[in-house]
Amino acid sequence: GIAATRDILSSLPESKVVILTTFDLEEYVYDGIRAGAVGYLLKDAAPDELVDAIRAAYRGEAIFRTATAAKVIARAVGPAAANTAQSQAQLLEPFTERELEVLQQMAYGLRNEEIAGRLHIGESTVKTHVHRILHKIGVDDRTQAVVFAIRNRIVR
């Protein structure tokens, strides 16, 4: 699955890959994220979960619904490393505090309406922040922004 993800995305970079597997191992989840997968589900997932993951991927959202995936992502978005200032310096412009909050919620896999509810702001305001985040990082979708944030330890 990991090799297939890399092959698919190298041939068709605009594609979105959701890994469906029997292996709920940290190494595989991490490798799947690094390979560019936007989702990770176990084969015993309910059909509606699989449909939700496909729809989320189409919207540019990430969906990782296994206990192990939750641990990997929680560790990846744990306390920001000391190099956060250096990572922010790589941006076209630094993030505002609110953009960092939105980005962190995106890293947890939340949709715009869920982020709006958690941060007590309007959904259109969330969309504006997401647009600015994508622009500042220079990426096309939410998944790429989250991967950038995780790799550069920008999210807490």
Side-chain angles (χ1 to χ4, degrees):
I2 305 302
T5 299
R6 283 190 195 102
D7 290 346
I8 290 166
L9 294 174
S10 69
S11 298
L12 301 164
E14 70 282 355
S15 298
K16 307 293 184 206
V17 175
V18 176
I19 294 176
L20 186 63
T21 184
T22 57
F23 302 106
D24 193 19
L25 301 171
E26 287 187 29
E27 177 184 344
Y28 291 160
V29 174
Y30 182 75
D31 288 346
I33 292 169
R34 290 190 52 99
V38 298
Y40 195 93
L41 286 93
L42 294 179
K43 287 185 177 178
D44 64 356
D48 59 325
E49 283 183 284
L50 183 55
V51 170
D52 286 346
I54 292 167
R55 288 184 176 144
Y58 179 77
R59 290 189 305 264
E61 299 171 6
I63 187 145
F64 295 89
R65 294 230 173 117
T66 73
T68 301
K71 284 187 231 173
V72 169
I73 291 172
R75 192 171 27 247
V77 297
N83 69 350
T84 298
Q86 179 183 5
S87 297
Q88 289 240 13
Q90 296 170 358
L91 300 172
L92 300 175
E93 300 174 49
F95 288 126
T96 65
E97 189 62 36
R98 181 60 90 183
E99 287 167 346
L100 287 171
E101 291 171 339
V102 170
L103 183 56
Q104 180 167 334
Q105 298 304 308
M106 289 167 51
Y108 291 136
L110 299 181
R111 295 186 312 270
N112 289 346
E113 62 192 48
E114 295 169 318
I115 294 171
R118 281 201 179 179
L119 299 180
H120 306 290
I121 57 178
E123 190 172 347
S124 62
T125 303
V126 173
K127 289 178 183 178
T128 299
H129 288 306
V130 170
H131 175 74
R132 288 181 182 159
I133 290 165
L134 298 180
H135 176 75
K136 287 179 179 184
I137 297 173
V139 298
D140 296 323
D141 63 45
R142 297 165 69 103
T143 303
Q144 293 172 343
V146 169
V147 169
F148 176 90
I150 290 171
R151 285 182 180 159
N152 291 285
R153 301 197 181 274
I154 292 173
V155 291
R156 295 184 217 30

PDB file of all heavy atoms in Angstrom, residues 98 102 111-117 120-132 142:
ATOM      1  N   ARG A  98      -4.408  32.999  15.071  1.00  0.00           N
ATOM      2  CA  ARG A  98      -5.663  32.344  14.675  1.00  0.00           C
ATOM      3  C   ARG A  98      -5.418  31.339  13.554  1.00  0.00           C
ATOM      4  O   ARG A  98      -5.985  30.246  13.550  1.00  0.00           O
ATOM      5  CB  ARG A  98      -6.700  33.381  14.247  1.00  0.00           C
ATOM      6  CG  ARG A  98      -8.032  32.766  13.847  1.00  0.00           C
ATOM      7  CD  ARG A  98      -8.672  31.979  14.988  1.00  0.00           C
ATOM      8  NE  ARG A  98      -9.517  32.836  15.751  1.00  0.00           N
ATOM      9  CZ  ARG A  98     -10.173  32.466  16.844  1.00  0.00           C
ATOM     10  NH1 ARG A  98     -10.088  31.235  17.284  1.00  0.00           N
ATOM     11  NH2 ARG A  98     -10.909  33.314  17.494  1.00  0.00           N
ATOM     12  N   VAL A 102      -6.349  27.378  13.526  1.00  0.00           N
ATOM     13  CA  VAL A 102      -7.092  26.714  12.452  1.00  0.00           C
ATOM     14  C   VAL A 102      -6.269  25.568  11.879  1.00  0.00           C
ATOM     15  O   VAL A 102      -6.784  24.467  11.662  1.00  0.00           O
ATOM     16  CB  VAL A 102      -7.504  27.725  11.359  1.00  0.00           C
ATOM     17  CG1 VAL A 102      -8.054  27.016  10.122  1.00  0.00           C
ATOM     18  CG2 VAL A 102      -8.538  28.707  11.904  1.00  0.00           C
ATOM     19  N   ARG A 111     -13.425  19.293   9.821  1.00  0.00           N
ATOM     20  CA  ARG A 111     -13.971  20.044   8.683  1.00  0.00           C
ATOM     21  C   ARG A 111     -14.170  21.494   9.105  1.00  0.00           C
ATOM     22  O   ARG A 111     -14.169  21.828  10.291  1.00  0.00           O
ATOM     23  CB  ARG A 111     -15.302  19.433   8.242  1.00  0.00           C
ATOM     24  CG  ARG A 111     -15.149  18.019   7.694  1.00  0.00           C
ATOM     25  CD  ARG A 111     -16.460  17.481   7.134  1.00  0.00           C
ATOM     26  NE  ARG A 111     -17.603  17.657   8.010  1.00  0.00           N
ATOM     27  CZ  ARG A 111     -17.997  16.782   8.928  1.00  0.00           C
ATOM     28  NH1 ARG A 111     -17.331  15.664   9.094  1.00  0.00           N
ATOM     29  NH2 ARG A 111     -19.048  17.028   9.682  1.00  0.00           N
ATOM     30  N   ASN A 112     -14.382  22.364   8.126  1.00  0.00           N
ATOM     31  CA  ASN A 112     -14.539  23.793   8.405  1.00  0.00           C
ATOM     32  C   ASN A 112     -15.631  24.068   9.435  1.00  0.00           C
ATOM     33  O   ASN A 112     -15.431  24.866  10.350  1.00  0.00           O
ATOM     34  CB  ASN A 112     -14.831  24.564   7.120  1.00  0.00           C
ATOM     35  CG  ASN A 112     -13.635  24.658   6.214  1.00  0.00           C
ATOM     36  OD1 ASN A 112     -12.513  24.378   6.618  1.00  0.00           O
ATOM     37  ND2 ASN A 112     -13.860  25.041   4.981  1.00  0.00           N
ATOM     38  N   GLU A 113     -16.777  23.402   9.288  1.00  0.00           N
ATOM     39  CA  GLU A 113     -17.878  23.655  10.223  1.00  0.00           C
ATOM     40  C   GLU A 113     -17.509  23.234  11.648  1.00  0.00           C
ATOM     41  O   GLU A 113     -17.888  23.896  12.616  1.00  0.00           O
ATOM     42  CB  GLU A 113     -19.155  22.959   9.763  1.00  0.00           C
ATOM     43  CG  GLU A 113     -19.038  21.447   9.707  1.00  0.00           C
ATOM     44  CD  GLU A 113     -20.190  20.777   8.973  1.00  0.00           C
ATOM     45  OE1 GLU A 113     -20.528  21.219   7.874  1.00  0.00           O
ATOM     46  OE2 GLU A 113     -20.731  19.808   9.524  1.00  0.00           O
ATOM     47  N   GLU A 114     -16.735  22.156  11.785  1.00  0.00           N
ATOM     48  CA  GLU A 114     -16.299  21.708  13.102  1.00  0.00           C
ATOM     49  C   GLU A 114     -15.273  22.672  13.697  1.00  0.00           C
ATOM     50  O   GLU A 114     -15.311  22.966  14.902  1.00  0.00           O
ATOM     51  CB  GLU A 114     -15.697  20.304  13.012  1.00  0.00           C
ATOM     52  CG  GLU A 114     -16.707  19.236  12.603  1.00  0.00           C
ATOM     53  CD  GLU A 114     -16.057  17.908  12.265  1.00  0.00           C
ATOM     54  OE1 GLU A 114     -15.006  17.896  11.587  1.00  0.00           O
ATOM     55  OE2 GLU A 114     -16.619  16.871  12.678  1.00  0.00           O
ATOM     56  N   ILE A 115     -14.377  23.163  12.858  1.00  0.00           N
ATOM     57  CA  ILE A 115     -13.382  24.139  13.324  1.00  0.00           C
ATOM     58  C   ILE A 115     -14.094  25.402  13.788  1.00  0.00           C
ATOM     59  O   ILE A 115     -13.777  25.952  14.850  1.00  0.00           O
ATOM     60  CB  ILE A 115     -12.364  24.464  12.210  1.00  0.00           C
ATOM     61  CG1 ILE A 115     -11.529  23.220  11.875  1.00  0.00           C
ATOM     62  CG2 ILE A 115     -11.451  25.628  12.619  1.00  0.00           C
ATOM     63  CD1 ILE A 115     -10.654  23.370  10.637  1.00  0.00           C
ATOM     64  N   ALA A 116     -15.057  25.850  13.010  1.00  0.00           N
ATOM     65  CA  ALA A 116     -15.821  27.051  13.378  1.00  0.00           C
ATOM     66  C   ALA A 116     -16.464  26.881  14.748  1.00  0.00           C
ATOM     67  O   ALA A 116     -16.402  27.790  15.588  1.00  0.00           O
ATOM     68  CB  ALA A 116     -16.877  27.339  12.308  1.00  0.00           C
ATOM     69  N   GLY A 117     -17.065  25.723  14.977  1.00  0.00           N
ATOM     70  CA  GLY A 117     -17.696  25.462  16.271  1.00  0.00           C
ATOM     71  C   GLY A 117     -16.709  25.450  17.416  1.00  0.00           C
ATOM     72  O   GLY A 117     -16.956  26.041  18.465  1.00  0.00           O
ATOM     73  N   HIS A 120     -15.324  29.035  17.861  1.00  0.00           N
ATOM     74  CA  HIS A 120     -16.379  30.036  18.033  1.00  0.00           C
ATOM     75  C   HIS A 120     -16.253  31.176  17.024  1.00  0.00           C
ATOM     76  O   HIS A 120     -16.293  32.362  17.386  1.00  0.00           O
ATOM     77  CB  HIS A 120     -16.399  30.576  19.467  1.00  0.00           C
ATOM     78  CG  HIS A 120     -16.490  29.488  20.497  1.00  0.00           C
ATOM     79  ND1 HIS A 120     -17.624  28.731  20.683  1.00  0.00           N
ATOM     80  CD2 HIS A 120     -15.570  28.998  21.361  1.00  0.00           C
ATOM     81  CE1 HIS A 120     -17.411  27.836  21.629  1.00  0.00           C
ATOM     82  NE2 HIS A 120     -16.163  27.969  22.053  1.00  0.00           N
ATOM     83  N   ILE A 121     -16.062  30.792  15.764  1.00  0.00           N
ATOM     84  CA  ILE A 121     -16.004  31.756  14.674  1.00  0.00           C
ATOM     85  C   ILE A 121     -16.890  31.240  13.541  1.00  0.00           C
ATOM     86  O   ILE A 121     -17.307  30.075  13.564  1.00  0.00           O
ATOM     87  CB  ILE A 121     -14.553  31.980  14.162  1.00  0.00           C
ATOM     88  CG1 ILE A 121     -13.909  30.670  13.707  1.00  0.00           C
ATOM     89  CG2 ILE A 121     -13.704  32.630  15.243  1.00  0.00           C
ATOM     90  CD1 ILE A 121     -12.489  30.818  13.135  1.00  0.00           C
ATOM     91  N   GLY A 122     -17.172  32.084  12.579  1.00  0.00           N
ATOM     92  CA  GLY A 122     -18.015  31.686  11.465  1.00  0.00           C
ATOM     93  C   GLY A 122     -17.294  30.752  10.502  1.00  0.00           C
ATOM     94  O   GLY A 122     -16.069  30.790  10.371  1.00  0.00           O
ATOM     95  N   GLU A 123     -18.075  29.921   9.813  1.00  0.00           N
ATOM     96  CA  GLU A 123     -17.488  28.996   8.850  1.00  0.00           C
ATOM     97  C   GLU A 123     -16.803  29.752   7.715  1.00  0.00           C
ATOM     98  O   GLU A 123     -15.754  29.333   7.228  1.00  0.00           O
ATOM     99  CB  GLU A 123     -18.558  28.057   8.302  1.00  0.00           C
ATOM    100  CG  GLU A 123     -17.989  26.930   7.481  1.00  0.00           C
ATOM    101  CD  GLU A 123     -19.022  25.895   7.087  1.00  0.00           C
ATOM    102  OE1 GLU A 123     -20.141  25.900   7.634  1.00  0.00           O
ATOM    103  OE2 GLU A 123     -18.697  25.075   6.213  1.00  0.00           O
ATOM    104  N   SER A 124     -17.366  30.889   7.310  1.00  0.00           N
ATOM    105  CA  SER A 124     -16.717  31.671   6.246  1.00  0.00           C
ATOM    106  C   SER A 124     -15.377  32.231   6.725  1.00  0.00           C
ATOM    107  O   SER A 124     -14.437  32.351   5.940  1.00  0.00           O
ATOM    108  CB  SER A 124     -17.635  32.793   5.761  1.00  0.00           C
ATOM    109  OG  SER A 124     -17.910  33.698   6.802  1.00  0.00           O
ATOM    110  N   THR A 125     -15.278  32.547   8.003  1.00  0.00           N
ATOM    111  CA  THR A 125     -14.010  33.016   8.562  1.00  0.00           C
ATOM    112  C   THR A 125     -12.976  31.884   8.540  1.00  0.00           C
ATOM    113  O   THR A 125     -11.814  32.109   8.204  1.00  0.00           O
ATOM    114  CB  THR A 125     -14.204  33.529  10.001  1.00  0.00           C
ATOM    115  OG1 THR A 125     -15.191  34.570   9.980  1.00  0.00           O
ATOM    116  CG2 THR A 125     -12.909  34.060  10.595  1.00  0.00           C
ATOM    117  N   VAL A 126     -13.416  30.676   8.853  1.00  0.00           N
ATOM    118  CA  VAL A 126     -12.515  29.523   8.779  1.00  0.00           C
ATOM    119  C   VAL A 126     -12.024  29.353   7.349  1.00  0.00           C
ATOM    120  O   VAL A 126     -10.823  29.161   7.112  1.00  0.00           O
ATOM    121  CB  VAL A 126     -13.208  28.229   9.269  1.00  0.00           C
ATOM    122  CG1 VAL A 126     -12.318  27.009   9.018  1.00  0.00           C
ATOM    123  CG2 VAL A 126     -13.565  28.324  10.743  1.00  0.00           C
ATOM    124  N   LYS A 127     -12.926  29.445   6.386  1.00  0.00           N
ATOM    125  CA  LYS A 127     -12.544  29.297   4.976  1.00  0.00           C
ATOM    126  C   LYS A 127     -11.499  30.343   4.589  1.00  0.00           C
ATOM    127  O   LYS A 127     -10.556  30.044   3.856  1.00  0.00           O
ATOM    128  CB  LYS A 127     -13.765  29.406   4.069  1.00  0.00           C
ATOM    129  CG  LYS A 127     -14.678  28.210   4.165  1.00  0.00           C
ATOM    130  CD  LYS A 127     -15.903  28.387   3.271  1.00  0.00           C
ATOM    131  CE  LYS A 127     -16.850  27.222   3.432  1.00  0.00           C
ATOM    132  NZ  LYS A 127     -18.062  27.376   2.627  1.00  0.00           N
ATOM    133  N   THR A 128     -11.660  31.551   5.076  1.00  0.00           N
ATOM    134  CA  THR A 128     -10.685  32.608   4.802  1.00  0.00           C
ATOM    135  C   THR A 128      -9.325  32.248   5.381  1.00  0.00           C
ATOM    136  O   THR A 128      -8.295  32.389   4.723  1.00  0.00           O
ATOM    137  CB  THR A 128     -11.172  33.960   5.365  1.00  0.00           C
ATOM    138  OG1 THR A 128     -12.402  34.303   4.725  1.00  0.00           O
ATOM    139  CG2 THR A 128     -10.149  35.061   5.143  1.00  0.00           C
ATOM    140  N   HIS A 129      -9.320  31.772   6.629  1.00  0.00           N
ATOM    141  CA  HIS A 129      -8.058  31.380   7.264  1.00  0.00           C
ATOM    142  C   HIS A 129      -7.406  30.218   6.507  1.00  0.00           C
ATOM    143  O   HIS A 129      -6.190  30.226   6.291  1.00  0.00           O
ATOM    144  CB  HIS A 129      -8.271  30.993   8.726  1.00  0.00           C
ATOM    145  CG  HIS A 129      -8.562  32.155   9.625  1.00  0.00           C
ATOM    146  ND1 HIS A 129      -7.748  33.266   9.705  1.00  0.00           N
ATOM    147  CD2 HIS A 129      -9.577  32.375  10.487  1.00  0.00           C
ATOM    148  CE1 HIS A 129      -8.248  34.116  10.579  1.00  0.00           C
ATOM    149  NE2 HIS A 129      -9.365  33.598  11.062  1.00  0.00           N
ATOM    150  N   VAL A 130      -8.201  29.231   6.111  1.00  0.00           N
ATOM    151  CA  VAL A 130      -7.665  28.093   5.364  1.00  0.00           C
ATOM    152  C   VAL A 130      -7.039  28.582   4.059  1.00  0.00           C
ATOM    153  O   VAL A 130      -5.918  28.187   3.709  1.00  0.00           O
ATOM    154  CB  VAL A 130      -8.751  27.030   5.094  1.00  0.00           C
ATOM    155  CG1 VAL A 130      -8.243  25.959   4.114  1.00  0.00           C
ATOM    156  CG2 VAL A 130      -9.209  26.381   6.395  1.00  0.00           C
ATOM    157  N   HIS A 131      -7.730  29.457   3.362  1.00  0.00           N
ATOM    158  CA  HIS A 131      -7.205  30.004   2.108  1.00  0.00           C
ATOM    159  C   HIS A 131      -5.860  30.710   2.340  1.00  0.00           C
ATOM    160  O   HIS A 131      -4.909  30.515   1.587  1.00  0.00           O
ATOM    161  CB  HIS A 131      -8.219  30.969   1.486  1.00  0.00           C
ATOM    162  CG  HIS A 131      -7.712  31.650   0.266  1.00  0.00           C
ATOM    163  ND1 HIS A 131      -7.590  31.013  -0.946  1.00  0.00           N
ATOM    164  CD2 HIS A 131      -7.268  32.918   0.079  1.00  0.00           C
ATOM    165  CE1 HIS A 131      -7.094  31.864  -1.825  1.00  0.00           C
ATOM    166  NE2 HIS A 131      -6.892  33.019  -1.233  1.00  0.00           N
ATOM    167  N   ARG A 132      -5.779  31.506   3.391  1.00  0.00           N
ATOM    168  CA  ARG A 132      -4.531  32.223   3.698  1.00  0.00           C
ATOM    169  C   ARG A 132      -3.411  31.263   4.076  1.00  0.00           C
ATOM    170  O   ARG A 132      -2.252  31.464   3.695  1.00  0.00           O
ATOM    171  CB  ARG A 132      -4.771  33.236   4.810  1.00  0.00           C
ATOM    172  CG  ARG A 132      -5.591  34.417   4.352  1.00  0.00           C
ATOM    173  CD  ARG A 132      -5.787  35.410   5.462  1.00  0.00           C
ATOM    174  NE  ARG A 132      -6.614  36.517   5.004  1.00  0.00           N
ATOM    175  CZ  ARG A 132      -7.279  37.324   5.795  1.00  0.00           C
ATOM    176  NH1 ARG A 132      -7.210  37.156   7.108  1.00  0.00           N
ATOM    177  NH2 ARG A 132      -8.007  38.294   5.308  1.00  0.00           N
ATOM    178  N   ARG A 142      -5.668  21.238   1.731  1.00  0.00           N
ATOM    179  CA  ARG A 142      -5.539  21.122   3.178  1.00  0.00           C
ATOM    180  C   ARG A 142      -4.560  20.024   3.583  1.00  0.00           C
ATOM    181  O   ARG A 142      -3.804  20.174   4.534  1.00  0.00           O
ATOM    182  CB  ARG A 142      -6.908  20.818   3.794  1.00  0.00           C
ATOM    183  CG  ARG A 142      -7.930  21.893   3.597  1.00  0.00           C
ATOM    184  CD  ARG A 142      -9.324  21.370   3.906  1.00  0.00           C
ATOM    185  NE  ARG A 142      -9.502  21.092   5.303  1.00  0.00           N
ATOM    186  CZ  ARG A 142     -10.161  21.870   6.142  1.00  0.00           C
ATOM    187  NH1 ARG A 142     -10.710  22.978   5.711  1.00  0.00           N
ATOM    188  NH2 ARG A 142     -10.288  21.545   7.397  1.00  0.00           N
TER     189      ARG A 142
END
